[in-house]
Amino acid sequence: MRLFFAAFAAFIVAACAGPQVRGTGDLGLVIERASGQVTLVDTSVRQPYARVAGLGDLSHASAVYSRDGRYAFVFGRDGGLTKVDLLEGRIVKRVIQAGNAIGGSISQDGRIVVAQNYTPGGIKAFDAETLELLAEVPAEYAPGKFSKVVGLADAPGNQFAYALFDGGEIWVSDFSDPRRPVTRRFPAGSQPYDGLVTPDGRYFLAGLFGEDGVALLDLWQPDKGARKILENYGRGQEKLPVFKMPHLRGWSVAQGKAYLPAIGRHEVLVVDTASWKEVGRIPVRGQPVFVIARPDGRQVWVNFAFPDNGKLDVIDTLAGRVVKAFEPGKGILHMEFAPRGEHVWLSARDDNRVLIYDTATFGKLGEIAADSPSGIFFTSRAHRIGF
Amino acid sequence: MSRIEFGLIALLAAGNTLAGEPPPARQKELVHLVRQDCGSCHGMTLQGGLGPALLPANLQDKPAEGLVATIIGGRPGTPMPPWNQFVSEDEARWIVDKLMTGFPP
């Protein structure tokens, strides 16, 4: 009996020492752009829990998640695609898939990871399980001419929509057969700089740099082609210089309106998503880079290009104006909301800190150390269309 | 060569050296500016992005003065903005010199 008890106790101890069972819904990662590593974070306790190194050049890196929220796919500037296990805190697989990459996306069914590339210009699709190359779509918009690809976003039906910076077109590739994608092309306008798919998966918007306006494609009715909205929003006035390209994503949509950065103007443009007509513009304190709605849509947070990248403006969507303007740190590069928006994480690159704020009181809840942090990505993205 | 001419050349040479080398603290700021803020388009490692690569091999055939003019005045028709609010011509010349010979980390 005593022997049995000892054996039982040993079993209990061994069980406790084994891997802890937990979900991943409250986890995320912070890109540390200068040192090629990511810090894994727990948003419930608001603390880092692991650091994973060896991801290459992470300047302008981004990440998407497997549908079970366990694996992050990190796209590096050097063309590296790295699959990171958030539970075990390690790299599962890493491939160099291009010379110069800008981001990526994951299919509706979670089985295809697609990278968008500057060099060679185009997109490449990989098996999410193995990172085996499935197919590629070179962005050859004219014979022998390849474009940088921007704005890649997933859409329902295992489709991916993206824009060609040099080609001035929107392309939609259908990966229903992952090894044989079918691509349609739509003229969009001059120099699309980024794109987004609306949270319902219906519309693709491509912001234009070379002209005032945004190209809009209805993915439910692609035969109608892309049309321009917000045309001539600059009203022919001289543009202010843009020291960093704005970023678009489905987070722009809140309360039936899309909040979009103006190019060369210190304004956020407001568009009704039913009529796609401009319904307002909100003055802010710089060239907007990220214009991100809190998940409930009550607030929209705006950060800015150099030299105003220490500032943050918060728009109240009910009041239609900035209700909070502050300077939380140096080089605020990115913001990520907790899944239901009660707090927001800010990367302060030049302070080597990630700052955590309460979005109701604007009080600071805490901070974590990170080496030159840039993008922050939480696993809640796994379940959002267009992320 | 007259003494005055010689003196003038020496003065110019000295002026060039002084103008061409920002003080160490400013050099540090400029390196940070190039890597972090120019880096948002050209890449933190300067291997290119939306903007072209700025490594010595990419720049060797380009005249330095043209590159200085691009930094100062921007490039109309492209996303390259003018940086003259933030760097002087002499500082731009120093940046170009460092880019062409291998930019400090």
Side-chain angles (χ1 to χ4, degrees), chain A residues 33-35 57-60 77 99-100 118 148 150 165 191 193 209 241-245 306-307 309 349-350 372, chain B residues 32-33 35-37 39-52 77-83 85-86:
Chain A
R33 69 202 299 254
S35 47
D57 177 1
L58 293 182
S59 57
H60 207 291
R77 178 41 80 69
N100 197 318
Y118 282 162
K148 299 182 185 87
V150 299
F165 176 79
Q191 295 176 329
Y193 65 86
F209 184 84
V242 178
F243 295 104
K244 184 177 179 174
M245 279 291 177
F306 176 87
N309 55 10
R349 180 194 67 199
D350 298 341
S372 214
Chain B
H32 185 268
L33 179 82
R35 291 232 171 247
Q36 301 296 340
D37 296 302
S40 43
C41 280
H42 296 282
M44 205 171 49
T45 53
L46 307 173
Q47 295 182 61
L50 197 62
T78 78
M80 178 68 180
W83 291 83
Q85 299 172 56
F86 311 105

Side-chain angles (χ1 to χ4, degrees), chain A residues 9 14 68 93 120 136 153 164 184 199 213 234 282 288 304 308 315 338 348 362:
Chain A
D68 61 4
K93 179 102 185 163
E136 49 187 307
L164 277 59
R184 294 188 65 179
I282 299 167
F304 302 103
D308 298 308
I315 294 166
F362 303 114

Side-chain angles (χ1 to χ4, degrees), chain A residues 2-345:
Chain A
R2 187 173 293 173
L3 192 66
F4 170 75
F5 187 78
F8 184 68
F11 171 75
I12 294 291
V13 169
C16 291
Q20 191 193 350
V21 175
R22 87 175 316 286
T24 59
D26 57 355
L27 302 183
L29 66 82
V30 176
I31 305 281
E32 292 173 275
R33 69 202 299 254
S35 47
Q37 59 185 9
V38 294
T39 286
L40 307 185
V41 296
D42 178 332
T43 62
S44 293
V45 296
R46 302 194 295 264
Q47 289 295 332
Y49 67 91
R51 195 156 268 175
V52 182
L55 282 81
D57 177 1
L58 293 182
S59 57
H60 207 291
S62 64
V64 298
Y65 285 97
S66 61
R67 59 192 279 138
D68 61 4
R70 175 168 178 178
Y71 300 101
F73 300 91
V74 182
F75 304 91
R77 178 41 80 69
D78 57 1
L81 166 58
T82 311
K83 183 175 178 179
V84 176
D85 183 337
L86 263 64
L87 288 180
E88 294 187 351
R90 65 181 183 92
I91 292 173
V92 180
K93 179 102 185 163
R94 176 171 160 78
V95 295
I96 300 292
Q97 57 86 24
N100 197 318
I102 185 67
S105 190
I106 188 162
S107 61
Q108 181 179 36
D109 66 6
R111 294 166 66 179
I112 311 165
V113 172
V114 175
Q116 62 178 339
N117 296 321
Y118 282 162
T119 321
I123 63 169
K124 282 189 181 178
F126 299 87
D127 183 310
E129 194 64 40
T130 62
L131 299 192
E132 176 207 354
L133 179 67
L134 296 171
E136 49 187 307
V137 183
E140 189 176 7
Y141 61 97
K145 287 182 143 178
F146 294 83
S147 176
K148 299 182 185 87
V149 170
V150 299
L152 177 78
D154 59 281
N158 276 7
Q159 296 185 96
F160 292 88
Y162 48 103
L164 277 59
F165 176 79
D166 311 283
E169 295 181 355
I170 293 171
W171 287 19
V172 180
S173 295
D174 183 333
F175 282 82
S176 297
D177 181 347
R179 290 184 188 273
R180 270 173 291 277
V182 178
T183 300
R184 294 188 65 179
R185 302 170 54 165
F186 307 90
S190 174
Q191 295 176 329
Y193 65 86
D194 202 358
L196 69 88
V197 163
T198 51
D200 57 11
R202 177 166 178 181
Y203 296 99
F204 180 74
L205 275 68
L208 302 175
F209 184 84
E211 60 184 290
D212 287 343
V214 172
L216 173 80
L217 178 68
D218 183 349
L219 297 168
W220 289 7
Q221 305 177 84
D223 291 339
K224 290 188 170 176
R227 67 183 172 96
K228 234 162 267 172
I229 60 168
L230 291 171
E231 240 179 322
N232 196 28
Y233 64 75
R235 298 175 184 135
Q237 288 168 6
E238 185 86 12
K239 277 184 190 172
L240 298 167
V242 178
F243 295 104
K244 184 177 179 174
M245 279 291 177
H247 288 61
L248 305 176
R249 203 90 306 209
W251 57 57
S252 289
V253 179
Q255 299 295 308
K257 299 185 180 91
Y259 292 78
L260 301 168
I263 292 282
R265 302 179 65 84
H266 293 177
E267 288 174 340
V268 170
L269 307 171
V270 190
V271 192
D272 185 306
T273 57
S275 66
W276 293 107
K277 296 257 191 287
E278 182 184 328
V279 291
R281 44 180 75 191
I282 299 167
V284 289
R285 291 182 296 160
Q287 165 68 54
V289 174
F290 284 100
V291 179
I292 305 185
R294 200 171 68 177
D296 66 344
R298 177 67 195 266
Q299 295 175 346
V300 172
W301 289 54
V302 186
N303 77 338
F304 302 103
F306 176 87
D308 298 308
N309 55 10
K311 301 173 184 168
L312 269 181
D313 283 0
V314 182
I315 294 166
D316 179 318
T317 55
L318 192 61
R321 61 182 171 82
V322 173
V323 292
K324 174 78 179 173
F326 64 126
E327 288 79 37
K330 282 192 280 180
I332 302 294
L333 290 195
H334 196 219
M335 310 168 262
E336 180 85 336
F337 287 94
R340 298 201 202 177
E342 76 281 10
H343 57 240
V344 64
W345 292 42

Side-chain angles (χ1 to χ4, degrees), chain B residues 32-72:
Chain B
H32 185 268
L33 179 82
V34 170
R35 291 232 171 247
Q36 301 296 340
D37 296 302
C38 305
S40 43
C41 280
H42 296 282
M44 205 171 49
T45 53
L46 307 173
Q47 295 182 61
L50 197 62
L54 301 178
L55 298 171
N58 312 110
L59 302 179
Q60 60 180 2
D61 299 333
K62 303 201 164 40
E65 280 310 306
L67 297 170
V68 172
T70 297
I71 294 174
I72 293 300

